[in-house]
Each structure stands twice: as structure tokens, then as C-alpha cells.
Amino acid sequence: MQAMPDNVMVVDHPLVAHKLTLLRAAATPTGDFRRLVREISLLMGYEVLRDLPTEPVHIETPLEPMTARQVSGKKLCFISILRAGNGILDGMVDLVPSARIGHVGLYRDPLSHEPIEYYFKVPDDMDQRLTVVVDPMLATGHSAAAAVTRLKRAGAGAIKFVCLIAAPEGIAALHAAHPDVPVYTAAIDRQLDEHAYIRPGLGDAGDRLFGTK
């Protein structure tokens, strides 16, 4: 496998690896697939958000006053690349219920594999928020790069990208377009096939999440 950029992080916790193995299995039914994506996303969220800034606050416990830490600054923003990104979004929102949420609608042209935008809705003040972009698969990297480009035009500065499985080709393409954006993934697979599917992968994440095939 080719060398990865320094800002690519594989979340290799044993529970993430275990749940990802169950997720990959063709025999895993839709309901279990959806639940596993949510669970993996929540586990990954701890690593993705490890460097959130905090500030001291004064509180009263049942026994005495104290100074404790809480997350500071504007509420972070999760951006789902539709439609499959919504599967990861659920787990992330479980972890940070107060986060703002945006959506980028992109579909892949079946011939060119290039992304075409059909929907874009994000919160205000994107320049003041940490933006976490979620999509289960980083395959060609074209959709991820297009989504990040669009978010930067909307003012987003600090951006992270989170996926379940990445292909080396997708990592390279996203890094070439946006070298400042770190990638968090549960696994880096071998390669893309002639149809731009990740091998060994897990199939079409959207179809498996929503039971549409």
C-alpha cells in the first residue's frame, strides 16, 4: 500500500475493528447494518473530537463548589454527504446532541464518476465552527473533495473528514485537493475496482443502510 499522508488517522480500537467486520459481512441484515454504523460512528467520534477546546466553568456539585471543564466556543457542525452520510451522522449526534447539522447532496455520475451537487444547506457562521464531514466510504475522493470545496466557499475553515472505509485512491485525491483536511477512518482497504467500488469494502453503503437493493 502506498504511503499515507501524515494527517490520515486509522481508528483501530478493537471494538471498532470487531463491529466493522460484522458490518462488512454480506449476510448482515439492514437493521443490524444500520445499528453497527451508528455504533462505530459513536466510537470513532471520541477520537475525532479528542482535541476540542475546553474552558473552566464554576459549578456546584451536591457536596461543594468546584471548577470543571466544558467545551468552549461555537457549537461544532456535522455535515452529512447525502444520502449515506446520514448513517454516520446518527452516531455522531448521539455523542454531541447539541451540534449543528448540515447536508450536502451529491450523486456520482455513473460514467465519469464525477460528483454532481443537487442540495446544499449548512448553518450560519461556518467560519466559527469546527466542521466534521461524514460519509461512510472514501472511494474516488471526488465527492469528498467537492463537498469540502463547497463548504470552504461557505466559510468553513477547520474541517475534518470521517469515513468508515477509505481507498488509497480516495485518500490521495482528497489530500491533493485539500491537504489541510485530516481524514479519520476505521480501515484503509486495498484498492478501487473498475466500477470505483472499494475492495474488499462492504458494498454500497447507502443501499445497505436503507435497504434499497
Side-chain angles (χ1 to χ4, degrees), residues 2-9 168 171-172 175-176 179 181 183:
Q2 66 194 66
M4 292 294 112
D6 291 339
N7 61 351
V8 175
M9 276 67 73
I171 292 172
H175 183 71
V181 174
V183 173

Side-chain angles (χ1 to χ4, degrees), residues 84 88 135-139 161-166 189 198 201-205:
I88 294 183
D135 196 5
M137 314 297 282
L138 180 58
F161 183 87
V162 181
C163 60
L164 301 179
I165 299 176
D189 278 10
I198 300 175
L202 50 72
D204 187 297

Side-chain angles (χ1 to χ4, degrees), residues 173-195:
L174 180 55
H175 183 71
H178 301 286
D180 58 314
V181 174
V183 173
Y184 295 80
T185 184
I188 301 174
D189 278 10
R190 185 178 69 250
Q191 66 186 66
L192 297 180
D193 64 17
E194 64 274 16
H195 303 294

Side-chain angles (χ1 to χ4, degrees), residues 57-68:
V57 294
H58 183 78
I59 63 170
E60 297 277 347
T61 79
L63 300 177
E64 63 180 84
M66 69 168 290
T67 299

Side-chain angles (χ1 to χ4, degrees), residues 146-169:
V148 171
T149 297
R150 186 69 173 83
L151 289 165
K152 286 183 175 179
R153 287 208 303 267
I159 301 174
K160 298 183 178 186
F161 183 87
V162 181
C163 60
L164 301 179
I165 299 176
E169 298 92 331

Side-chain angles (χ1 to χ4, degrees), residues 13-189:
H13 190 283
L15 286 176
V16 172
H18 173 79
K19 292 175 185 294
L20 183 61
T21 296
L22 298 176
L23 197 70
R24 290 181 187 271
T28 299
T30 298
D32 290 347
F33 188 94
R34 194 176 298 143
R35 173 181 55 79
L36 286 162
V37 170
R38 189 172 191 145
E39 291 173 354
I40 294 169
S41 303
L42 190 150
L43 291 169
M44 292 182 68
Y46 285 102
E47 292 302 320
V48 174
L49 303 176
R50 178 178 289 277
D51 58 353
L52 281 178
T54 62
E55 62 185 0
V57 294
H58 183 78
I59 63 170
E60 297 277 347
T61 79
L63 300 177
E64 63 180 84
M66 69 168 290
T67 299
R69 309 292 300 181
Q70 71 177 19
V71 175
S72 63
K74 282 275 191 179
K75 291 183 171 63
L76 61 88
C77 179
F78 295 127
I79 301 292
S80 170
I81 299 180
L82 297 173
R83 64 181 169 153
N86 283 355
I88 294 183
L89 181 65
D90 290 342
M92 292 289 182
V93 173
D94 284 346
L95 189 62
V96 191
S98 62
R100 302 298 186 254
I101 297 172
H103 296 86
V104 180
L106 298 167
Y107 69 89
R108 189 171 67 177
D109 184 278
L111 297 179
S112 68
H113 304 308
E114 292 296 320
I116 299 173
E117 182 183 314
Y118 64 89
Y119 185 79
F120 185 81
K121 183 71 172 180
V122 300
D124 295 330
D125 303 325
M126 290 294 291
D127 60 323
Q128 300 177 42
R129 304 179 187 276
L130 169 63
T131 301
V132 179
V133 183
V134 297
D135 196 5
M137 314 297 282
L138 180 58
T140 65
H142 297 160
S143 293
V148 171
T149 297
R150 186 69 173 83
L151 289 165
K152 286 183 175 179
R153 287 208 303 267
I159 301 174
K160 298 183 178 186
F161 183 87
V162 181
C163 60
L164 301 179
I165 299 176
E169 298 92 331
I171 292 172
L174 180 55
H175 183 71
H178 301 286
D180 58 314
V181 174
V183 173
Y184 295 80
T185 184
I188 301 174
D189 278 10

